[in-house]
Amino acid sequence: MPDLSHSRTPAVSRSPATAHTGEAQGGAEAVDAPQQDSRPALAKGRRYVLTAEDNQGYESATWTKVAKDHGMLDKHLVAFNQHVGTVDEGLSEHGLQPVPRLDAGVEIYIPSTDEILFSQCSHKADGDLARATALFNGIAQGPQLAVLRTARERASGAVGVGYGTPGDKGIFYTQNPALAGASEKRSQTIDGEKEYRVNWGSDFWKCSVFMHDVVYSAGYKPDLTDNKHYRLAGHLQLSGQYREVAVSNARPGNCWQRFGGTRSDESHNAVLSSFVEVEDLGDDTEKWSFTIIGAESDRAAESERSHIMKKGTNETTDGKKIRFFDPKGKR
């Protein structure tokens, strides 16, 4: 079973006034997020009924598949679905009927980015509600929450598939009309949003495309080069559109770079989706652990990362650098 220690939501009791309503469909339905008087107002989660296509034959693979389709790790999905008997650890439920196992026809709760983030803030604050709320509100005041919400959205569904190396039948989707190849003639509406179908080749690594696209769709200025492509992952530290953030101030929703060189296949970009845990290894090194949302070989997805760092630096022991950034301005 996935480790839930960094993704559990604090226990919440639900009153009839905030219970889920409406008839479930074979898709998503908006519902009220759990609220408490002193908590920030959290965006809504939604309910989803598993289909036969979701069922991967065994539960861990099904959790992973459904989570990826919704831009998150399976541990986040599991933490908010304790009504499923095979993962139940006695945590609060979200108004869903208990079921023995995950299967087609089972209704689950898809947590919002806000709910996941508040759970992470609560964990970092050791369960102190006031500190967790202050952490959440601080992230919401800058670009990070908008970027994080957008990263999960763009890592979901068909749009998320397009950021895989081969793309969605060779193309990726973008909301930025300034990109090379974006055209009204090659646009379509997905989940109520206009998306341009762009083809830069089926073997094109799209990590920087995903990160800059997220920044654009979140309402901030990405770094667009003279040839109407985005600045490459290994050049992000040179950008005039981003400011670097020290690891001590890194927050979910920062942009992220693993620098290994300036060529297109030497570095990586993504969006930081957790706090960075720093573990002192007792010598001249420390371990940085965190999660990111970014383009992978088959689609955009969330993943867990860790690096052994030279203590007091942003350099890894294998010669790379880890950096965090925020976009400087709104577009």
Side-chain angles (χ1 to χ4, degrees), residues 48 51 53-54 56 60-70:
Y48 178 80
T51 67
E53 290 73 22
D54 292 324
Q56 300 299 292
S60 61
T62 300
W63 284 117
T64 298
K65 191 265 184 189
V66 176
K68 274 193 171 186
D69 286 348
H70 292 88

Side-chain angles (χ1 to χ4, degrees), residues 32-68:
D32 290 337
Q35 298 291 327
Q36 190 165 310
D37 290 345
S38 56
R39 293 186 183 188
L42 302 178
K44 298 176 180 179
R46 55 194 186 276
R47 294 164 79 171
Y48 178 80
V49 177
L50 267 69
T51 67
E53 290 73 22
D54 292 324
N55 193 330
Q56 300 299 292
Y58 54 101
E59 280 200 20
S60 61
T62 300
W63 284 117
T64 298
K65 191 265 184 189
V66 176
K68 274 193 171 186

Side-chain angles (χ1 to χ4, degrees), residues 95-147:
L96 300 174
Q97 292 300 313
V99 293
R101 67 185 307 276
L102 197 67
D103 208 344
V106 167
E107 188 176 37
I108 63 172
Y109 184 76
I110 308 294
S112 70
T113 294
D114 293 34
E115 291 172 308
I116 294 171
L117 176 59
F118 189 76
S119 178
Q120 292 169 326
C121 290
S122 181
H123 176 80
K124 187 170 180 64
D126 296 322
D128 185 299
L129 181 58
R131 287 174 56 208
T133 299
L135 269 174
F136 183 94
N137 288 339
I139 292 169
Q141 287 171 2
Q144 294 94 1
L145 181 55
V147 169

Side-chain angles (χ1 to χ4, degrees), residues 6-17:
H6 304 302
S7 57
R8 281 185 185 145
T9 187
V12 178
S13 60
R14 297 182 60 82
S15 67

Side-chain angles (χ1 to χ4, degrees), residues 154 163 172-176 179 194-196 198 213 230:
R154 298 204 66 76
Y163 291 111
F172 68 89
Y173 302 94
T174 182
Q175 294 180 347
N176 189 348
L179 281 187
K194 179 186 287 187
E195 301 282 350
Y196 299 97
V198 175
D213 255 0
Y230 288 128

Side-chain angles (χ1 to χ4, degrees), residues 230-287:
Y230 288 128
R231 183 179 286 271
L232 294 177
H235 295 197
L236 186 61
Q237 73 279 8
L238 305 175
S239 175
Q241 300 296 342
Y242 294 83
R243 65 171 62 89
E244 189 169 352
V245 176
V247 65
S248 57
N249 294 322
R251 298 290 184 267
N254 288 148
C255 297
W256 174 84
Q257 179 199 53
R258 186 199 67 222
F259 177 81
T262 57
R263 292 186 297 185
S264 61
D265 60 348
E266 294 177 323
S267 297
H268 192 33
N269 279 164
V271 173
L272 183 66
S273 57
S274 72
F275 294 96
V276 179
E277 294 191 0
V278 179
E279 178 186 356
D280 191 333
L281 298 181
D283 48 16
D284 293 327
T285 62
E286 57 193 20
K287 183 179 180 181

